[in-house]
Amino acid sequence: NVIRVYYVKDSFDYTVEYYYDGVKDDSKTEGPTKAEFASQITSYTDKKIDGYKLDKTENLPLTITSNPDNNVIRIYYVKDSFGYTVEYYYDGKIDTSKTDSFSATFGDVIRTYADKNIDGYKLDTTQNLPLTITSNPDNNVIRIYYVKDTFAYSVEYYYDGVLDPTR
């Protein structure tokens, strides 16, 4: 009489959690999912959202343990930086020598610009001010329009060195 006992590896739960600017988004959490004890999880589903970039991962690769609380992969995303420009126009023509280029974090609101008015011109209008930074640099453009200013003048008439007030 022989009694044979066979053992197989058990399976345990693991989860993948996603964080955006340090805040966990429960709606994106994957799992719990079962995996065999001591197996390795080496990948995850990328859940990057517009304007964010991968910052770091924790517990990747993950070796499955018997404690589901230790079987957690954490994926961290942070806001990315994007370029933006300020363009200056004089009588409708861009002066590219005055264009400024900057970088700002996704979602930042730009409310100011350097005043580059030149003598004889005045501010006419602005476009995209304030500017909310997007992931598309082509949309991150502030346009400043100047037009020639008008000035009052007068003509005086003198006769034999004396001002003629009637003219």
Side-chain angles (χ1 to χ4, degrees):
N1 291 333
V2 175
I3 298 175
R4 292 192 175 109
V5 179
Y6 295 94
Y7 292 94
V8 293
K9 287 184 183 178
D10 200 357
S11 291
F12 297 93
D13 288 337
Y14 76 93
T15 57
V16 181
E17 298 174 343
Y18 296 85
Y19 294 79
Y20 301 87
D21 290 328
V23 177
K24 182 175 144 185
D25 184 342
D26 289 324
S27 71
K28 296 196 183 316
T29 296
E30 294 178 355
T33 304
K34 294 270 188 207
E36 188 176 271
F37 179 80
S39 65
Q40 275 203 339
I41 308 301
T42 59
S43 64
Y44 62 93
T45 303
D46 186 17
K47 294 189 179 181
K48 181 178 89 83
I49 58 176
D50 184 42
Y52 283 74
K53 65 181 178 180
L54 179 66
D55 183 38
K56 65 181 178 176
T57 62
E58 290 181 355
N59 298 331
L60 192 69
L62 172 68
T63 301
I64 299 299
T65 69
S66 60
N67 183 350
D69 291 339
N70 295 334
N71 297 339
V72 180
I73 298 170
R74 292 178 182 86
I75 311 301
Y76 292 88
Y77 296 97
V78 293
K79 288 181 181 176
D80 204 351
S81 292
F82 298 93
Y84 75 94
T85 57
V86 181
E87 298 175 344
Y88 296 87
Y89 295 79
Y90 300 88
D91 286 332
K93 289 186 174 183
I94 189 170
D95 183 343
T96 56
S97 70
K98 295 190 183 303
T99 298
D100 291 325
S101 296
F102 302 98
S103 181
T105 302
F106 178 79
D108 281 357
V109 178
I110 309 303
R111 300 180 191 284
T112 61
Y113 62 92
D115 184 11
K116 294 189 179 182
N117 194 6
I118 56 177
D119 192 34
Y121 284 79
K122 66 180 179 180
L123 179 65
D124 182 39
T125 186
T126 62
Q127 285 183 349
N128 295 334
L129 190 68
L131 171 69
T132 301
I133 299 299
T134 70
S135 61
N136 183 350
D138 292 339
N139 295 335
N140 297 339
V141 179
I142 298 171
R143 292 178 180 86
I144 310 301
Y145 292 91
Y146 294 99
V147 293
K148 286 183 181 163
D149 202 353
T150 56
F151 300 94
Y153 68 93
S154 60
V155 177
E156 296 177 344
Y157 293 93
Y158 289 84
Y159 297 98
D160 294 325
V162 177
L163 175 65
D164 181 356
T166 61
R167 296 238 207 207

